[in-house]
Amino acid sequence: MALTFTKHQKIALRRHPDFSEAWLHDRICDDTSLLCLGELDVIERERSQYSGGRLDLLLGDGDYTRYEVEIMLGATAPSHIIRCIEYWDVERRRYPAYDHVAVLVAEEVTSRFLNVMSLLAGSIPLVAIQLNALQVGEHVVLDFVKVLD
């Protein structure tokens, strides 16, 4: 079967009335491989942190590694990066027997913050993933691209 070209339109989930962060959490929990981190188990959603706030997703590979995933619709912000690292630190102190990876997902990872995150990644296991939402006809395609690993 030959593939055919179909035009797409990029959409911003943050500004779209039919989508929310909770909707995106559901899609990722339905198929964690979307994040390009492998097949992972969902350990917990909206995990309360003793320091305050809630970790969006805690994922695990079953044996050795846990992924603290912080999701933001729209562009990255300094508070988002700090929250991601803070939640990673809380979880690694709480469960030291596991390896921990901080994962930041955003619709736009700006070059300014990507540079700062690259510097931090020398000391912290940090993955940044940019989410591109594409409308193709009546369908939405979620394209997750690692921009820092």
Side-chain angles (χ1 to χ4, degrees):
M1 178 172 111
L3 297 176
T4 59
F5 172 77
T6 302
K7 189 173 179 180
H8 73 275
Q9 177 183 0
K10 186 168 181 165
I11 59 174
L13 296 178
R14 180 178 188 194
R15 292 191 297 268
H16 200 285
D18 295 335
F19 304 108
S20 66
E21 193 172 303
W23 176 88
L24 184 56
H25 291 189
D26 290 341
R27 300 297 71 75
I28 293 169
C29 288
D30 289 344
D31 183 1
T32 59
S33 70
L34 289 172
L35 293 177
C36 304
L37 299 171
E39 290 289 335
L40 302 173
D41 300 318
V42 178
I43 297 170
E44 195 169 343
R45 290 177 65 166
E46 297 292 330
R47 183 181 184 102
S48 293
Q49 301 292 297
Y50 68 81
S51 61
R54 294 181 182 274
L55 172 62
D56 289 334
L57 298 173
L58 180 62
L59 306 176
D61 68 1
D63 294 322
Y64 304 106
T65 306
R66 290 193 170 179
Y67 297 84
E68 289 78 24
V69 181
E70 187 62 24
I71 298 170
M72 181 174 188
L73 298 184
T76 51
S79 62
H80 190 226
I81 296 167
I82 290 169
R83 195 173 22 215
C84 180
I85 293 169
E86 179 184 20
Y87 294 160
W88 164 83
D89 184 51
V90 167
E91 290 296 322
R92 80 180 177 94
R93 290 174 190 263
R94 194 176 188 185
Y95 298 99
Y98 294 96
D99 292 329
H100 293 268
V101 178
V103 180
L104 179 75
V105 177
E107 287 186 278
E108 182 183 349
V109 180
T110 61
S111 59
R112 175 181 178 209
F113 293 124
L114 184 59
N115 185 43
V116 171
M117 288 186 291
S118 295
L119 293 170
L120 293 171
S123 303
I124 298 169
L126 178 63
V127 174
I129 299 173
Q130 181 165 302
L131 165 61
N132 300 300
L134 308 170
Q135 180 177 344
V136 180
E138 298 297 316
H139 302 279
V140 173
V141 175
L142 300 176
D143 180 36
F144 293 86
V145 179
K146 280 190 207 176
V147 293
L148 177 66
D149 187 2

